[in-house]
């Protein structure tokens, strides 16, 4: 085994193995750079079209908006809609295959929508449209554990400064604690506060969470919000 990241199996799910010994040494430099240099990549046409369609629904809705990023097959989106019947829940994933998977048995209410879009574009469009997001969930995204891929993680990405403005609360979950510790530090650099806790929900909110729990892995949650002085 060389120094590159590898995944190992534990039961039916994978644990994260990384060549990092702790928080990435360039995290602060990367975050500071992105905070001072706005992301201006042109929007992809399919994302702009998908956003325009859902934005009309959001703007006509009089109530709280919940954003579920990297929603995969939409199980989390449906569960959040079921738990928050007065809210409109928007689940977004880049994969049409995942979005179109059939998991309607979880909840078939009418207060959620699943959207295929590139979140790097979608986030900027949401910010420009000033959506009143109360909670923003980012549940078990691909953590990109190789050290050289730090800028593929959300907290190392160019869109991070926009991401952290979307939601009164941002709730992340991962089975890789270091991922959330890095996000926590990035949030602190941006002037936000965060609290890291264990996930102890009886009902898993995503298929990944169910697999991790079944194989005995500890899952973690990071709650990010504005500092109160």
């Amino acid at each position: 085994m060389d120094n590159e990241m590898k995944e190992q199996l534990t039961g039916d799910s994978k644990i994260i193995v990384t060549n990092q010994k702790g928080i990435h040494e360039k995290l602060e430099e990367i975050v500071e750079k992105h905070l001072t240099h706005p992301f201006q990549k042109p929007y992809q046409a399919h994302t702009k079209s998908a956003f325009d369609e859902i934005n009309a629904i959001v703007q006509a809705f009089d109530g709280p908006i919940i954003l579920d990023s990297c929603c995969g097959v939409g199980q989390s989106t449906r569960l959040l809609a079921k738990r928050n019947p007065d809210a409109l829940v928007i689940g977004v994933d880049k994969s049409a295959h995942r979005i179109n998977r059939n998991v309607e048995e979880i909840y078939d209410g009418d207060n959620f929508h699943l959207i295929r879009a590139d979140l790097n574009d979608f986030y900027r469009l949401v910010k420009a449209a000033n959506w009143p997001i109360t909670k923003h969930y980012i549940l078990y995204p691909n953590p990109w554990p190789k050290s050289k891929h730090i800028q593929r993680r959300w907290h190392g990405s160019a869109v991070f400064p926009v991401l952290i403005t979307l939601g009164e609360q941002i709730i992340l979950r991962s089975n890789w604690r270091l991922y959330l510790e890095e996000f926590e530090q990035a949030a602190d650099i941006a002037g936000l506060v965060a609290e890291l806790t264990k996930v102890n929900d009886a009902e898993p909110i995503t298929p990944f969470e169910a697999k991790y729990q079944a194989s005995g892995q500890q899952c973690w949650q990071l709650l990010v919000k504005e500092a109160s002085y």
Side-chain angles (χ1 to χ4, degrees):
M1 181 185 299
D2 59 24
N3 199 36
E4 291 295 319
M5 190 288 296
K6 296 188 302 295
E7 292 176 328
Q8 298 179 337
L9 291 177
T10 298
D12 294 326
S13 64
K14 296 176 181 179
I15 61 173
I16 300 298
V17 180
T18 178
N19 58 349
Q20 283 186 220
K21 299 185 183 302
I23 289 175
H24 199 284
E25 67 275 9
K26 293 187 177 180
L27 178 64
E28 183 173 356
E29 175 188 334
I30 291 168
V31 173
E32 292 285 5
K33 174 185 175 182
H34 291 153
L35 286 171
T36 54
H37 295 82
F39 188 34
Q40 296 180 331
K41 172 179 168 287
Y43 299 127
Q44 295 184 57
H46 82 272
T47 294
K48 182 63 168 62
S49 177
F51 174 79
D52 288 343
E53 184 175 343
I54 193 61
N55 185 50
I57 295 172
V58 169
Q59 298 299 338
F61 182 74
D62 184 19
I65 304 297
I66 296 175
L67 182 60
D68 183 21
S69 294
C70 312
C71 70
V73 298
Q75 174 176 310
S76 53
T77 307
R78 289 175 169 87
L79 286 174
L80 290 169
K82 183 178 181 180
R83 295 175 184 179
N84 299 273
D86 296 330
L88 180 63
V89 184
I90 310 298
V92 185
D93 197 90
K94 66 180 180 181
S95 168
H97 174 70
R98 288 192 290 264
I99 286 287
N100 293 326
R101 287 273 296 277
N102 186 353
V103 290
E104 280 85 356
E105 69 276 5
I106 294 171
Y107 177 67
D108 62 356
D110 60 1
N111 64 320
F112 74 91
H113 294 272
L114 299 177
I115 307 298
R116 177 189 171 242
D118 181 335
L119 282 162
N120 291 283
D121 296 344
F122 197 84
Y123 282 153
R124 292 179 290 150
L125 291 165
V126 167
K127 181 175 177 60
N130 197 30
W131 283 15
I133 300 170
T134 54
K135 294 183 179 181
H136 179 186
Y137 288 84
I138 307 176
L139 304 174
Y140 305 96
N142 185 341
W144 294 100
K146 291 183 181 180
S147 178
K148 66 182 181 181
H149 290 154
I150 174 65
Q151 294 192 71
R152 298 186 185 182
R153 302 171 199 165
W154 282 121
H155 45 273
S157 71
V159 80
F160 176 74
V162 175
L163 183 162
I164 56 175
T165 67
L166 304 180
E168 296 172 10
Q169 296 182 340
I170 303 173
I171 301 98
L172 300 98
R173 287 188 179 184
S174 178
N175 64 324
W176 189 30
R177 179 169 176 159
L178 181 58
Y179 180 92
L180 298 183
E181 289 175 340
E182 284 190 344
F183 199 105
E184 182 178 21
Q185 182 165 315
D188 180 68
I189 294 169
L192 304 177
V193 296
E195 179 183 9
L196 183 63
T197 58
K198 293 180 178 180
V199 172
N200 295 309
D201 287 5
E203 181 184 24
I205 197 168
T206 78
F208 283 110
E209 188 165 281
K211 289 196 297 183
Y212 297 147
Q213 290 182 357
S215 60
Q217 293 190 52
Q218 178 62 60
C219 296
W220 302 89
Q221 175 172 293
L222 187 71
L223 173 64
V224 183
K225 57 186 178 180
E226 291 186 1
S228 57
Y229 299 101

